[in-house]
Amino acid sequence: MEGDCCTTTSRKGSQREKPYRGIRMRKWGKWVAEIREPNKRSRIWLGSYATPMAAARAYDTAVFYLRGPSARLNFPEFFVAEDELHDMSAASIRKKATEVGARVDALETGSISTQLNSCKQSSNKKPDLNQQPNPESSDED
């Protein structure tokens, strides 16, 4: 169950893949996460993500803060309770879950690694501050 794929049957009887608990895929391919509030009929919207793993991690964060360490998580091996959430409102749980989901989504889609690589490359090209400027190599055209 933890991180494994499971097959569910929809109302129409067709088989569909639901890779993680608490998420679903929109018709246009985005993955969304939401969770029910305990003892209420309302749901907490946890966001829309490009990858199923990001949506599942957002769900894991919310379910941990709602149900505690005994919650059934999709990725128990990745979960680290960074700090205790003192305000247990739906808004604070949503905020924390979307932060985690967005971070995972960025890592999964590669935008953070691309930014880090470009920063490393630009930091390797340090100018020689002791050298006199050369008018032939100026950037002005």
Side-chain angles (χ1 to χ4, degrees):
M1 291 281 180
E2 298 162 352
D4 296 337
C5 283
C6 56
T7 306
T8 59
T9 305
S10 68
R11 290 180 214 172
K12 295 179 182 177
S14 64
Q15 295 288 314
R16 62 184 175 141
E17 290 296 316
K18 189 174 178 185
Y20 304 109
R21 181 183 317 278
I23 70 168
R24 59 190 163 89
M25 191 168 111
R26 295 268 194 201
K27 293 176 190 174
W28 50 89
K30 286 275 194 174
W31 291 90
V32 297
E34 61 187 355
I35 189 170
R36 283 202 184 276
E37 291 186 77
N39 304 320
K40 294 183 182 179
R41 295 184 69 185
S42 59
R43 295 180 185 174
I44 300 174
W45 179 255
L46 303 175
S48 176
Y49 304 96
T51 62
M53 186 178 202
R57 295 283 302 275
Y59 172 84
D60 281 359
T61 302
V63 78
F64 179 82
Y65 286 118
L66 285 171
R67 299 194 172 91
S70 63
R72 292 177 63 186
L73 304 174
N74 292 305
F75 301 102
E77 66 276 9
F78 293 141
F79 195 79
V80 177
E82 298 156 355
D83 54 356
E84 193 170 313
L85 199 61
H86 298 291
D87 179 18
M88 293 299 288
S89 68
S92 63
I93 291 171
R94 179 184 305 112
K95 182 181 178 200
K96 187 69 174 172
T98 54
E99 287 172 3
V100 170
R103 196 175 323 132
V104 172
D105 216 6
L107 287 170
E108 288 287 309
T109 57
S111 64
I112 287 181
S113 63
T114 302
Q115 290 175 358
L116 289 175
N117 286 339
S118 66
C119 288
K120 286 179 184 177
Q121 289 173 356
S122 65
S123 66
N124 289 341
K125 299 177 182 177
K126 295 181 182 175
D128 184 7
L129 299 176
N130 295 324
Q131 183 180 9
Q132 291 291 325
N134 187 355
E136 295 169 4
S137 64
S138 70
D139 293 330
E140 297 173 332
D141 288 325

